[in-house]
Amino acid sequence: RSAAQPAQGERAGIDDAIYRRPDLQWMIRNFVCGFVMIYDRSFWDPDRFEYRTAALCDEARRDFGGFDSVVLWHAYPRIGADPRNQFDFFRDMPGGLPGVRRVVRDFQDRGVKVFIPYMPWDTGTAREKQSDDEALANLLGEIEADGVFLDTMVAAPAGLRRAVDARRAGVVFELELHPALEQLSICNGSWAQWLDEYSEIGVLHLKWIEPRHMQHQIRRWDRSHRRELAAAWLNGSGAMVWENVFGSWNPWNAEDRALLRRMAPVWRCFAELLASEHWLPYFPTLVEKVYCSCWESETVRLWTLVNLSGRPLDEAVIEVEDRAEEFYDLWHGRRLEPQRVEGRLRIRLALESFGAIAAVGAPPGSRSSQGQAHRDLSADNVGSDEGARARRSVLALVESQRREAQRAVADADGEQRRAARSVVDPQRPPAAPPAELATTAGMIRLGPAVQTFTVRHMRRECGCYPDPDTPSDRWDHFLMGKPHDGLIEHRVRATLGPYWIDPKPVTNGQFEAFLKASGYRPRCLDRFLHHWGGRTCPAELRDRPVVYVDLDDARAYAAWAGKRLPTEWEWQYAAEQSAQRGLGFEHDRVFEWTESVRDDGHTRFVMLRGGSEFEAKGSIWYFPGGRQPIDSHAKFLLIYPGLDRCATIGFRCVAVESDKRRPEH
């Protein structure tokens, strides 16, 4: 054929090979994608030490009508806290890569595809021995994932498609940002993120040019997702469900969840139709501010409607030609009886905000509601088998939608899971076991003091915690992570009793003495004292701060010593007093665990103090490294010892008279 005569399905200038490949065609059915933070309790249970794949899928089915895919988000906003790169984060997840592969298979067994992210900006951490293209392809093959989410990207890396296809079939690419048309030949999907708003719902031009290109509507910080759902509904595209935004909890409300539960089954039933060329956006309606799209094939027609009139309707909304069909209200799950007006049919519909109508050929020989005999569809350009299958699918959908329409918008279990606990106050530190008075030799004595502390925190898309006495209607100022480069200034008034604090972080040699005396062995050994390279501390490390210890390891040492970890304010007061009085308080060799631990019921995090000798450079997205001001802190998400133990995090102890327990006589 000549270039001027493209084959059916091709677009001028666009190679549609990826849409014709059988192994990639699953993407046209990928309507509901869940953004899963691996730090969230919905994914990993830190108490039972187990993945919650089955429970997460069940909850998604109850709340959203089920996920078609998930993005397993793993590194950001923690990457850069130590030299580990984005691939290392998967290696250090619970169970390592075999454990991740089991998780991927668990999702796939439940019909859910799995994406992993690629972060092109990760150039300042440890480098792989191969190119990123090869490293990503090998990781996909190792864990058997189905797709790559291309973070911050408008185009796929030039060699990625070739590298991935050589390692694993069936892997689709999805871009975060709006791509050029040429990328439609490489990426099966993209996010419809932060697109300009119009008074009416616009047409996604990438979807219009290539209907098989899947787009997911997403506005991560919005409280209402109704506009996103309206755009997805009229464009036959999909939606991204994102509630844990890099450690900040922003749940979907009950009404939006109920809307998505109605939409998802319709999308899935008509997936091939929605990916076809037979799409008419802005189908004419009979009511002002009611918008409609139409898709049709030889066997079925589908209309999706959005009512922006500001009032509920129960009247004729569209007028169509008579094709001897039966009409169904797919939103409420019931049969519709059209009104014939001058040889055309007017479809009356109860329409609050969203609606859907399907028309399917009636069984051969049946009669319409107006008493006219239907044509024999098997003899009228419609194969009997195809027509019968379409009708069965629609009738099954009508019945399931009828049941969904009768369901309560919210349920107690769903609302309870979405509630977040307050993180205004840190958790109480665990009680130390009975011990003799700790020695305070060599420690710095401070306090008592009553002081207002100022701390500056860069939002980094993960927010922080509200200050005490902040009205709840202003908590979002602290909890939200936007703008990314915005600063939160905390002002916290604290009363400190007299206390002693270590002038330096605990050393490897001191920690080794603790191990020998106590016989301590952590619940999980992953990366425990990784830098030692064995069970004993190398001589050259004995006087350096101990690292590769998690919060529980540090607490165990402190309890053995009859001490505890410092609070944020004990740490900052010591640093400020030392700066004024020359007390010898060292604070920039490693970040340090504190007893500023918080848990909103979804994400656990701790505020680190100090700084580090390591700094990942090259991207604004990295965890803050290098020397840090003493009036700053960093939010560190907790998940699992293998990921929490870092080359850059140590600790020091405090001794407080009221914390110590004297033996009873």
Side-chain angles (χ1 to χ4, degrees):
R1 66 182 184 277
S2 68
Q5 296 176 320
Q8 183 178 5
E10 286 188 354
R11 304 290 186 275
I14 297 176
D15 181 353
D16 74 338
I18 61 170
Y19 302 100
R20 290 183 281 108
R21 279 177 50 173
D23 62 321
L24 301 180
Q25 289 183 5
W26 64 265
M27 189 61 168
I28 69 168
R29 299 180 176 277
N30 180 25
F31 292 102
V32 184
C33 182
F35 195 101
V36 176
M37 284 288 289
I38 68 167
Y39 306 91
D40 195 291
R41 287 180 179 272
S42 67
F43 177 72
W44 170 256
D45 187 328
D47 302 315
R48 295 185 176 183
F49 258 46
E50 64 183 20
Y51 290 109
R52 298 185 68 258
T53 313
L56 187 153
C57 290
D58 290 343
E59 290 161 0
R61 190 175 302 109
R62 177 196 67 199
D63 294 337
F64 303 105
F67 291 153
D68 300 306
S69 66
V70 293
V71 177
L72 293 185
W73 190 264
H74 65 323
Y76 181 78
R78 274 189 33 178
I79 190 169
D82 70 358
R84 281 179 290 185
N85 63 39
Q86 58 185 302
F87 307 107
D88 291 326
F89 270 75
F90 276 116
R91 297 178 185 120
D92 287 344
M93 281 177 61
L97 292 184
V100 178
R101 182 169 61 248
R102 287 192 293 271
V103 166
V104 171
R105 289 174 176 174
D106 283 347
F107 277 117
Q108 293 166 342
D109 288 345
R110 291 167 173 81
V112 179
K113 300 289 188 178
V114 177
F115 285 80
I116 61 172
Y118 170 63
M119 301 164 186
W121 47 265
D122 176 23
T123 59
T125 56
R127 297 296 84 203
E128 296 288 302
K129 295 180 180 179
Q130 54 194 172
S131 70
D132 277 6
D133 289 349
E134 293 296 329
L136 185 56
N138 287 334
L139 177 62
L140 287 161
E142 186 76 16
I143 66 174
E144 302 175 2
D146 307 289
V148 180
F149 169 67
L150 297 168
D151 181 51
T152 73
M153 302 186 75
V154 297
L160 186 60
R161 181 81 268 170
R162 181 174 60 256
V164 170
D165 285 347
R167 187 67 171 83
R168 176 167 170 78
V171 176
V172 303
F173 298 167
E174 181 160 4
L175 295 161
E176 177 183 2
L177 303 180
H178 203 64
L181 294 182
E182 292 77 10
Q183 286 297 309
L184 295 181
S185 300
I186 305 170
C187 300
N188 299 68
S190 60
W191 278 11
Q193 177 177 225
W194 299 321
L195 299 182
D196 292 336
E197 290 287 338
Y198 297 93
S199 56
E200 69 278 2
I201 305 300
V203 176
L204 295 174
H205 84 272
L206 296 181
K207 173 76 171 173
W208 173 251
I209 293 168
E210 176 47 79
R212 293 167 292 183
H213 183 81
M214 177 57 71
Q215 292 194 270
H216 290 110
Q217 296 287 333
I218 174 63
R219 284 180 174 268
R220 66 188 71 166
W221 292 112
D222 285 9
R223 293 298 194 189
S224 170
H225 300 282
R226 185 162 292 220
R227 292 283 294 188
E228 298 159 49
L229 292 174
W233 194 229
L234 290 177
N235 283 276
S237 58
M240 177 68 60
V241 175
W242 191 352
E243 297 186 297
N244 188 329
V245 186
F246 305 129
S248 291
W249 186 238
N250 188 30
W252 277 45
N253 63 53
E255 292 75 16
D256 290 348
R257 300 198 310 269
L259 291 175
L260 186 52
R261 290 198 300 269
R262 300 270 194 106
M263 293 178 176
V266 177
W267 284 331
R268 291 164 185 151
C269 181
F270 295 98
E272 293 184 5
L273 182 62
L274 296 174
S276 73
E277 299 178 350
H278 305 290
W279 173 26
L280 179 62
Y282 288 102
F283 187 89
T285 70
L286 303 175
V287 182
E288 187 177 3
K289 296 294 184 181
V290 172
Y291 298 94
C292 180
S293 281
C294 175
W295 291 265
E296 62 179 49
S297 70
E298 293 180 335
T299 57
V300 67
R301 290 192 284 177
L302 171 69
W303 295 266
T304 60
L305 300 104
V306 175
N307 177 14
L308 298 182
S309 71
R311 61 186 179 90
L313 304 172
D314 190 359
E315 57 191 273
V317 290
I318 59 173
E319 182 177 284
V320 302
E321 64 272 30
D322 186 358
R323 295 185 182 177
E325 298 160 308
E326 292 177 349
F327 289 81
Y328 294 93
D329 176 349
L330 298 182
W331 198 256
H332 299 96
R334 56 196 179 201
R335 174 83 176 266
L336 294 172
E337 297 295 342
Q339 178 187 8
R340 178 170 283 103
V341 178
E342 297 180 356
R344 293 175 61 81
L345 301 179
R346 288 187 176 179
I347 313 299
R348 177 173 178 169
L349 189 70
L351 183 64
E352 293 186 0
S353 298
F354 296 85
I357 299 169
V360 63
S366 67
R367 304 184 68 82
S368 72
S369 58
Q370 287 77 27
Q372 290 186 323
H374 286 298
R375 293 169 294 176
D376 185 346
L377 297 180
S378 62
D380 188 31
N381 297 324
V382 178
S384 57
D385 290 343
E386 184 180 351
R389 282 195 299 270
R391 188 169 187 276
R392 284 195 298 269
S393 295
V394 169
L395 292 178
L397 176 63
V398 168
E399 177 57 25
S400 65
Q401 292 292 83
R402 182 189 65 80
R403 293 193 298 269
E404 182 61 42
Q406 295 172 345
R407 177 179 164 184
V409 169
D411 63 85
D413 290 341
E415 296 311 302
Q416 183 178 7
R417 195 184 79 78
R418 269 163 185 75
R421 296 199 295 261
S422 170
V423 292
V424 170
D425 298 309
Q427 295 178 338
R428 291 181 62 85
E436 298 290 341
L437 288 177
T439 177
T440 57
M443 301 180 78
I444 302 170
R445 190 181 191 281
L446 294 164
V450 178
Q451 183 160 323
T452 298
F453 295 93
T454 300
V455 183
R456 291 172 178 84
H457 173 87
M458 182 172 283
R459 291 183 184 277
R460 298 182 57 252
E461 288 191 285
C462 61
C464 202
Y465 55 77
D467 289 351
D469 302 323
T470 302
S472 58
D473 60 358
R474 293 198 64 247
W475 282 5
D476 279 359
H477 169 73
F478 295 93
L479 296 173
M480 290 297 179
K482 64 175 185 178
H484 164 268
D485 56 354
L487 288 177
I488 298 171
E489 184 171 283
H490 294 283
R491 293 183 62 83
V492 177
R493 189 170 180 81
T495 300
L496 307 178
Y499 67 100
W500 292 259
I501 190 166
D502 291 333
K504 301 178 181 180
V506 172
T507 66
N508 288 286
Q510 291 171 318
F511 200 84
E512 185 178 41
F514 152 65
L515 294 180
K516 291 178 179 178
S518 67
Y520 173 74
R521 184 177 177 86
R523 177 183 183 183
C524 170
L525 288 169
D526 290 356
R527 294 182 71 84
F528 180 58
L529 300 174
H530 176 74
H531 59 312
W532 285 12
R535 294 187 176 183
T536 59
C537 173
E540 65 271 18
L541 296 179
R542 292 187 61 80
D543 295 329
R544 292 186 60 81
V546 66
V547 291
Y548 287 111
V549 289
D550 70 1
L551 186 60
D552 288 338
D553 301 330
R555 283 172 166 172
Y557 175 96
W560 168 79
K563 305 176 185 180
R564 62 166 169 79
L565 304 183
T567 67
E568 276 202 87
W569 317 121
E570 289 167 340
W571 191 99
Q572 184 168 337
Y573 186 69
E576 290 175 345
Q577 289 296 303
S578 181
Q580 297 172 17
R581 297 159 49 191
L583 301 179
F585 186 87
E586 294 186 7
H587 58 81
D588 55 10
R589 297 182 71 183
V590 293
F591 281 106
E592 299 175 37
W593 298 114
T594 72
E595 285 299 352
S596 181
V597 182
R598 288 167 167 82
D599 184 350
D600 67 1
H602 304 276
T603 309
R604 300 173 299 135
F605 62 93
V606 60
M607 307 311 298
L608 300 183
R609 288 304 189 114
S612 69
E613 296 172 340
F614 172 77
E615 181 178 6
K617 296 181 179 180
S619 174
I620 61 173
W621 309 110
Y622 281 130
F623 193 89
R627 294 176 60 91
Q628 297 295 312
I630 59 178
D631 62 346
S632 70
H633 62 193
K635 181 180 178 181
F636 187 86
L637 307 187
L638 298 170
I639 175 173
Y640 169 76
L643 278 169
D644 296 345
R645 293 180 178 125
C646 293
T648 55
I649 302 178
F651 68 98
R652 75 180 73 215
C653 299
V654 299
V656 182
E657 185 71 28
S658 60
D659 285 351
K660 299 169 188 172
R661 303 181 183 181
R662 299 178 182 272
E664 296 182 1
H665 297 285

